[in-house]
Amino acid sequence: MEATSENLSPERLFSWVERVGNKVPNPFLLFVYLIVVLMVATAIISALELAVKNPSNGEMVRVDNLLSVAGIQWILPNIIKNFSSFTPLGSILALVIGAGLAEKVGLLQSLMVKMALRVSRRYASYMVLFIAFFSHISSDAALVVMPPLGALIFLAVGRHPVAGLLAAIAGVASSGFTANLLIVTTDVLLSGISTEAAKAVSDTVHVSVIDNWFFMATSVIVLTFVGALLTDKFVEPRLPKWQGSGERLAPLTPLENRGLRAAGIAALLALGGFFEIYDLFEIGYISSGLRAAGLFHTGSAGVFGFSDRAAFASATFLGLFIGASLLAPYADRFAAV
């Protein structure tokens, strides 16, 4: 019984998991191995002369042997084309560059610390999980930043740091993986993969990056409450009482606070610029489409007694005028800081 108990001890299990995890090759090599496996699989399936019916046109599709001379001749000129023609490539590169820059200059870390500085003991679990979901914008870096930050948040309010660490890991890597209130790189990637897969059925099907957003945004709210309740009621009560000294998160420096303020102002300006460009360049296309759909009327049949298209354009420019008039004092105030 003692030998069996020792063999099944958590320490031995965790040591085994660590050894196996350390032997996992680099992700680049994993992709190379998967390519080799795919090529071997095509050779086997091609030799067996297996085929499937295309559901869109009913034609039989056979597998080409990528290890044959013809297969190698097809692979070499199509390597770059296969990469560059991937539907979400442009959006992914733009998001990765933006998220990488924000992570490199410390914007994401400072923003997460700022969100966590004023958290109470009672709502620490909710805050850790919510920040963990938000941290997905930094992609894989979230798994490095969030666990120690979650432990520090719990430690700062006098709670067990291991519970905070586990809550952060749950929010980043398990139950809340890619759940976010924002559109992140995974949304773009999955939309492109889904669009490419849907072409097997119909070439007209397009999966947008926001098709899954409603589910993901709702998941943030639901999983925040569920994860916090599980942490407070089940995880932390089963941990030994924390006897360590209380520590506090280091407050942001004046330079970091000024950087966050400048980043927020820049984000608001970018958002305002987007809507201004949207108003100036898209109003013609939108109003024409609404008129073709029968929602806009011409002449005196419009809502205000004249063309709905003119009323729509006037309303947008009136909104720009009111917004500029009301927000100009704030722009002058912050510009002078």
Side-chain angles (χ1 to χ4, degrees):
M1 291 295 294
E2 293 181 357
T4 303
S5 176
E6 183 180 356
N7 291 334
L8 297 178
S9 63
E11 290 79 8
R12 294 177 63 88
L13 175 62
F14 294 152
S15 299
W16 178 81
V17 171
E18 182 180 5
R19 288 195 302 271
V20 173
N22 289 335
K23 293 180 180 180
V24 175
N26 186 277
F28 174 79
L29 294 178
L30 284 178
F31 279 100
V32 173
Y33 297 154
L34 289 174
I35 292 173
V36 174
V37 170
L38 176 63
M39 296 176 67
V40 174
T42 60
I44 296 174
I45 296 175
S46 177
L48 297 176
E49 298 184 351
L50 300 178
V52 295
K53 181 183 291 186
N54 189 334
S56 61
N57 53 25
E59 296 180 356
M60 298 301 295
V61 179
R62 301 186 180 279
V63 177
D64 294 329
N65 183 3
L66 295 180
L67 289 179
S68 64
V69 175
I72 298 298
Q73 291 176 345
W74 179 88
I75 289 175
L76 294 178
N78 283 279
I79 291 179
I80 303 300
K81 181 181 178 181
N82 187 45
F83 175 75
S84 61
S85 61
F86 186 51
T87 304
L89 178 62
S91 302
I92 289 177
L93 291 177
L95 284 172
V96 168
I97 291 173
L101 176 62
E103 191 273 333
K104 186 67 175 179
V105 300
L107 174 61
L108 295 179
Q109 294 91 326
S110 299
L111 186 59
M112 287 187 285
V113 171
K114 187 73 172 181
M115 295 171 63
L117 281 175
R118 297 182 179 180
V119 59
S120 65
R121 176 185 176 90
R122 180 178 180 181
Y123 299 108
S125 301
Y126 299 89
M127 180 58 71
V128 167
L129 285 162
F130 183 79
I131 298 176
F133 297 142
F134 171 80
S135 68
H136 288 145
I137 193 173
S138 62
S139 190
D140 294 338
L143 193 57
V144 179
V145 175
M146 269 311 302
L149 180 61
L152 285 175
I153 293 175
F154 268 56
L155 190 61
V157 297
R159 296 179 58 175
H160 205 297
V162 175
L165 182 141
L166 295 176
I169 293 177
V172 174
S174 56
S175 61
F177 182 66
T178 74
N180 208 311
L181 297 177
L182 304 174
I183 303 297
V184 294
T185 54
T186 309
D187 297 317
V188 180
L189 179 63
L190 293 180
S191 69
I193 294 174
S194 301
T195 300
E196 294 291 338
K199 290 181 179 179
V201 180
S202 174
D203 292 334
T204 61
V205 176
H206 175 72
V207 181
S208 172
V209 294
I210 64 173
D211 285 347
N212 202 35
W213 178 83
F214 300 97
F215 173 76
M216 287 300 187
T218 305
S219 298
V220 171
I221 301 174
V222 174
L223 292 176
T224 296
F225 283 96
V226 173
L229 290 175
L230 290 175
T231 301
D232 295 343
K233 303 298 183 182
F234 296 95
V235 177
E236 192 171 10
R238 285 166 171 75
L239 296 173
K241 186 177 180 180
W242 176 248
Q243 302 291 341
S245 59
E247 297 183 15
R248 295 287 177 182
L249 287 173
L252 298 179
T253 64
L255 181 61
E256 290 173 330
N257 282 314
R258 190 169 59 183
L260 282 179
R261 187 183 302 110
I265 295 174
L268 292 176
L269 290 175
L271 185 63
F274 166 78
F275 283 110
E276 183 173 3
I277 294 174
Y278 174 85
D279 176 69
L280 294 177
F281 290 97
E282 298 296 331
I283 186 173
Y285 302 102
I286 294 174
S287 57
S288 299
L290 293 174
R291 180 182 176 184
L295 298 176
F296 274 8
H297 303 282
T298 59
S300 59
V303 176
F304 299 103
F306 53 91
S307 172
D308 283 335
R309 189 171 184 176
F312 178 60
S314 300
T316 54
F317 280 102
L318 179 62
L320 289 174
F321 174 75
I322 295 175
S325 300
L326 295 178
L327 298 179
Y330 295 98
D332 295 336
R333 175 184 174 184
F334 285 110
V337 175

